[in-house]
Amino acid sequence: MNTKYPMALLGLLTILGCELLTVVSSNKTEALRIMENAPVIDGHNDLPWQLLSKFNNQLNEVNLHTLNDTHTNIPKLREGRVGGQFWAAYVPCETQGKDAVKRTLEQIDVVHRMCEAYPDTFLCVDTAQDIATAIRAKRVASLIGVEGGHSIDSSLGVLRTFYHLGVRYMTLTHSCNTPWADNWLVDTGSDPAKSNGLSEFGKNIILEMNRLGMMVDLAHVSAKTMKDALEVSKAPVIFSHSSAYKLCASARNVQDDVLRIVKEKKGLVMVNFYNDYVTCSSKANLSNVADHFDYIKNIAGYESVGFGGDYDGVPRVPEGLEDVSKYPDLVAELIRRGWTQVELEAALKDNLLRVFTEVEQTSLQMSSEKPKEVPINYQEIKSDCHTSYGYKLVDTSAAAHLHAAKGLLLMCLVYTLFH
Ligand SMILES: [Zn+2]
């Protein structure tokens, strides 16, 4: 047996393998170097939902340093170079028209308490400037996004109150229609269209968000709602956790025509890592996620792409992106694919800061405008769980009785006059 060629081949493979390893590790080193000054600001993390589900929001029962059955804990955030995080104040659609507002307030409260309980790690902030300040102080800038318009129960007053509590984006729907906006399941045929995008009241919600300085989030909405919001909004919008439809034809993802409008309007699509939205199957890996970054960059430009991992909100995550410690591995892969430092810094941090700053500036420009006051039509929210205080309702049964009585009186009058 001639062992000369197999030995040579083995030697060649060893050299190639070593070189590959060296390239991979140097890309990772470069990723960590870039993320030293540009840690990731992620658009969507559902740790607050985990705190509710596992501990009924009792922070005394949990240690975020050692919690290990979630995608997120403090050591993993540090390892992942997470500099900013929008924590989702999410409550399920079944709360709609019931206790959605109360439960959303509780999720906002648990984020505030998380910042108080771990002041060395988290700093709750609500401006673009303070995100940068927190990052310089090596803390995780912590912001709140309300995931689903059902959380405001169709109330402009609740929307404004959420803003005062620090909420800086609202996803217009979760996976259900609100009385004023259609959700993505309309596009799958599972839900009937209700407003054909945004109703007039829904458009007023967008304008009020613009006036307040709250980012409009279009993850989870129907394609028509996306287009309506992009047309109405005076400020750039975000998709806090959505990927590219062309690579995985899920209605949760963003189609090319919308990506082009996002580019034109200088918005931001923060890539979702959930396997089912990355490959449209239960299996996915880090490279599949990098494909979405490449794709969105090619269509909308590097100024319109970001990270929206959806950690702790999904049952499956890709191989290689198992938890929040893995962002640098994804950045290393993007380096391998030729992304420049400027492009990476934009996707990691600068795009979000730019959009948020523009949203703040739009709010300033609208500061002479009065708050929107016209409430939603009562018929849109009428249910056993809603009272009608303030609405001038016509009691149709009382009106009918009055009408009949008037008729009778007239008949009596005619009879008296002519007999
Ligand atoms: Zn979501």
Side-chain angles (χ1 to χ4, degrees):
M1 186 181 162
N2 186 346
T3 57
K4 193 175 154 196
Y5 291 117
M7 285 304 284
L9 192 63
L10 192 64
L12 188 64
L13 283 176
T14 308
I15 291 165
L16 282 176
C18 286
E19 279 191 359
L20 190 66
L21 272 178
T22 311
V23 169
V24 168
S25 74
S26 73
N27 286 341
K28 180 76 179 280
T29 307
E30 177 66 357
L32 291 172
R33 186 190 67 76
I34 290 170
M35 294 180 85
E36 185 66 28
N37 291 321
V40 62
I41 302 173
D42 182 276
H44 196 88
N45 182 302
D46 272 301
L47 181 63
W49 176 250
Q50 297 296 329
L51 295 174
L52 175 65
S53 311
K54 293 179 189 297
F55 308 102
N56 211 359
N57 282 342
Q58 297 168 95
L59 289 184
N60 284 333
E61 311 261 308
V62 56
N63 182 343
L64 290 183
H65 291 282
T66 54
L67 180 69
N68 62 11
D69 58 348
T70 50
H71 298 144
T72 313
N73 66 21
I74 289 171
K76 288 172 186 170
L77 287 165
R78 292 298 189 200
E79 197 182 337
R81 307 302 194 265
V82 177
Q85 183 65 64
F86 280 85
W87 303 107
Y90 159 75
V91 298
C93 276
E94 62 179 315
T95 63
Q96 173 149 234
K98 297 177 190 159
D99 57 352
V101 174
K102 171 210 160 211
R103 286 205 169 269
T104 306
L105 286 169
E106 288 170 347
Q107 294 315 97
I108 292 169
D109 168 67
V110 82
V111 175
H112 288 157
R113 284 189 288 122
M114 201 169 82
C115 290
E116 285 162 19
Y118 300 91
D120 294 340
T121 302
F122 303 114
L123 186 62
C124 274
V125 298
D126 55 18
T127 64
Q129 197 175 0
D130 285 350
I131 296 177
T133 307
I135 287 174
R136 276 196 298 277
K138 302 286 178 205
R139 253 120 33 104
V140 180
S142 294
L143 298 105
I144 301 168
V146 162
E147 188 180 19
H150 60 286
S151 282
I152 62 166
D153 202 7
S154 300
S155 163
L156 288 157
V158 174
L159 175 72
R160 285 187 282 268
T161 303
F162 281 172
Y163 177 84
H164 293 312
L165 293 174
V167 173
R168 287 299 177 269
Y169 78 62
M170 180 172 75
T171 321
L172 299 184
T173 70
H174 191 252
S175 301
C176 53
N177 291 337
T178 66
W180 44 271
D182 287 355
N183 84 104
W184 66 289
L185 292 173
V186 167
D187 295 337
T188 69
S190 320
D191 274 0
K194 162 83 173 68
S195 308
N196 186 30
L198 287 174
S199 71
E200 284 311 306
F201 184 78
K203 290 174 183 171
N204 272 339
I205 293 272
I206 303 287
L207 293 172
E208 189 65 357
M209 291 172 78
N210 289 160
R211 193 190 66 83
L212 289 166
M214 190 188 289
M215 286 185 281
V216 174
D217 177 24
L218 301 181
H220 282 281
V221 306
S222 74
K224 182 64 168 49
T225 305
M226 292 176 195
K227 288 177 184 168
D228 283 356
L230 278 156
E231 191 177 313
V232 171
S233 180
K234 294 172 189 281
V237 305
I238 63 166
F239 291 75
S240 68
H241 57 306
S242 295
S243 300
Y245 183 91
K246 199 61 178 267
L247 300 186
C248 162
S250 161
R252 269 291 280 106
N253 288 337
V254 190
Q255 301 203 34
D256 286 1
D257 56 344
V258 174
L259 284 177
R260 289 190 188 95
I261 307 172
V262 169
K263 178 188 172 78
E264 182 193 322
K265 304 253 176 174
K266 299 186 162 52
L268 179 58
V269 179
M270 306 176 95
V271 174
N272 190 318
F273 299 175
Y274 181 35
N275 298 10
D276 301 44
Y277 302 155
V278 170
T279 58
C280 284
S281 76
S282 59
K283 294 231 178 307
N285 59 36
L286 181 149
S287 176
N288 301 135
V289 176
D291 291 344
H292 284 265
F293 277 82
D294 277 342
Y295 189 84
I296 294 169
K297 186 179 108 177
N298 286 339
I299 302 285
Y302 74 86
E303 300 95 334
S304 289
V305 64
F307 294 71
D310 211 357
Y311 280 114
D312 280 315
V314 293
R316 292 173 285 281
V317 284
E319 203 185 319
L321 287 171
E322 287 79 6
D323 55 53
V324 299
S325 71
K326 303 291 184 178
Y327 292 103
D329 295 303
L330 180 54
V331 173
E333 171 63 10
L334 296 175
I335 292 170
R336 191 188 70 77
R337 292 174 180 222
W339 284 55
T340 66
Q341 180 164 342
V342 169
E343 291 170 345
L344 287 166
E345 287 176 353
L348 285 162
K349 172 171 81 76
D350 294 343
N351 290 339
L352 187 280
L353 289 177
R354 186 201 76 240
V355 168
F356 193 9
T357 303
E358 283 191 42
V359 167
E360 291 173 336
Q361 284 167 353
T362 303
S363 170
L364 269 177
Q365 285 156 13
M366 294 173 78
S367 58
S368 62
E369 290 192 19
K370 290 191 170 141
K372 299 228 172 280
E373 294 184 332
V374 179
I376 195 165
N377 188 322
Y378 183 68
Q379 294 307 317
E380 296 285 347
I381 53 162
K382 191 175 176 188
S383 78
D384 289 345
C385 297
H386 290 105
T387 53
S388 62
Y389 295 117
Y391 284 96
K392 302 281 181 283
L393 301 179
V394 180
D395 182 340
T396 47
S397 61
H401 283 131
L402 190 64
H403 196 67
K406 274 185 193 165
L408 197 62
L409 193 66
L410 190 66
M411 273 172 61
C412 290
L413 197 63
V414 169
Y415 185 85
T416 313
L417 282 173
F418 295 100
H419 289 84

